[in-house]
Amino acid sequence: MTKPSTYILKIYRGSPGKQYWEEFELEHRHSENVISALMQVQRNPVNRHGVKVTPVAWEQGCLEEVCGSCSMLINGKPRQACTALIDNLIKDHGSTITLAPFSKFPLVRDLIVDRSMMFENLKKVHAWIDVDGSFGRGPGPRISPQKQEIMYELSKCMTCGCCLEACPQVNAHSKFVGPQVIAQVRLFNANPIGHTQQSKRLHPLMEEGGIADCGNAQNCQKVCPKDLPPHRFYSRHRPRRHDAGHPRPLQPPRPRRIVSRPSG
């Protein structure tokens, strides 16, 4: 099938209370991603009707799916713009690609939202390890390879917000802290030093908006850019969530199928 020479980038943009759809017709370039398409618009902000408009605002950082800043709705699905290839989007959805900001966060402008709530919720559960004064105590306790593997998986969370956007329990009428917070509680409690402060993390999860508010929709797993299964992390806390001091032991992650890709 012949690839189209152009495609339509349809963007839901504007400021809070004044959002609207605007379309841009762009040249189709091989191996381009959504960030590259937005850069095309930035260089030449002329919409489909030939009117020069204000360049679209969006966030970006690493451009390799590590920082989590370029989160947006792409054809209705929360994902990272840097790894959303135009070729694949056209193949799967046709020559019109829609972009919109996340709906579960306060809008700043165009495709930018304020994700501060995620970081505030991390503060509630003490999502860090206190190291003040530890420099004089010598090396820390050893961590087994099995536990390292689990902790590495958990540490890949970018706080991008995709899981919250997809979660039906995260809404204006709920105080649910979201999947990412619960996964990070497990990460820091798995650390031998962090384990000594596990009650500081588990007690907030027993309160309103914590683990009991998870509806087990499992949308978080479907949209996570890092393929984390947060709902499996919850199961460690769920059966004994009223006993904050004795959660179930860690289990290794399920083996993942590795698909080799041809080089060149």
Side-chain angles (χ1 to χ4, degrees), residues 8-12 21-24 73 96-100:
I8 303 302
L9 200 63
K10 186 177 180 180
I11 304 174
Y12 192 51
W21 288 101
E22 190 157 53
E23 297 182 355
F24 300 88
L73 291 171
T96 297
I97 299 170
T98 62
L99 307 180

Side-chain angles (χ1 to χ4, degrees), residues 28 39 71 94 99 124 206 223 226:
H28 183 199
M39 287 179 173
S71 302
L99 307 180
K124 291 179 182 178
M206 307 307 122
V223 302
K226 295 301 183 182

Side-chain angles (χ1 to χ4, degrees), residues 33-211:
N33 61 15
V34 167
I35 295 293
S36 301
L38 288 169
M39 287 179 173
Q40 277 198 61
V41 175
Q42 186 181 55
R43 288 191 296 267
N44 184 32
V46 177
N47 66 20
R48 198 177 183 188
H49 301 293
V51 179
K52 189 171 184 178
V53 298
T54 304
V56 178
W58 77 94
E59 284 189 288
Q60 67 180 57
C62 66
L63 299 182
E64 53 185 5
E65 202 176 73
V66 174
C67 71
S69 63
C70 63
S71 302
M72 61 184 71
L73 291 171
I74 301 176
N75 287 338
K77 180 180 178 180
R79 61 180 301 183
Q80 302 295 287
C82 61
T83 52
L85 298 180
I86 298 298
D87 289 343
N88 294 341
L89 293 172
I90 291 176
K91 178 182 177 181
D92 296 337
H93 303 282
S95 59
T96 297
I97 299 170
T98 62
L99 307 180
F102 277 179
S103 63
K104 302 289 182 72
F105 302 87
L107 177 67
V108 176
R109 176 189 163 197
D110 292 343
L111 299 173
I112 302 176
V113 296
D114 182 359
R115 291 178 293 140
S116 297
M117 59 179 280
M118 299 186 71
F119 300 96
E120 292 302 318
N121 285 332
L122 287 172
K123 292 179 184 178
K124 291 179 182 178
V125 296
H126 202 79
W128 63 85
I129 295 175
D130 294 322
V131 295
D132 291 346
S134 63
F135 58 88
R137 300 178 186 175
R142 294 183 178 183
I143 303 176
S144 68
Q146 181 190 46
K147 185 177 287 188
Q148 287 178 25
E149 185 177 0
I150 296 169
M151 292 173 64
Y152 175 72
E153 290 294 316
L154 291 164
S155 71
K156 292 192 295 185
C157 175
M158 305 179 291
T159 318
C160 65
C162 288
C163 58
L164 272 72
E165 180 67 20
C167 179
Q169 301 301 109
V170 177
N171 56 67
H173 307 289
S174 170
K175 295 182 179 180
F176 183 43
V177 294
Q180 139 266 2
V181 168
I182 301 171
Q184 293 307 288
V185 165
R186 187 175 184 187
L187 168 64
F188 290 105
N189 281 352
N191 185 286
I193 298 175
H195 183 74
T196 63
Q197 297 178 315
Q198 65 173 335
S199 61
K200 288 185 177 181
R201 302 184 185 96
L202 293 177
H203 284 155
L205 290 187
M206 307 307 122
E207 300 172 355
E208 183 181 7
I211 188 73

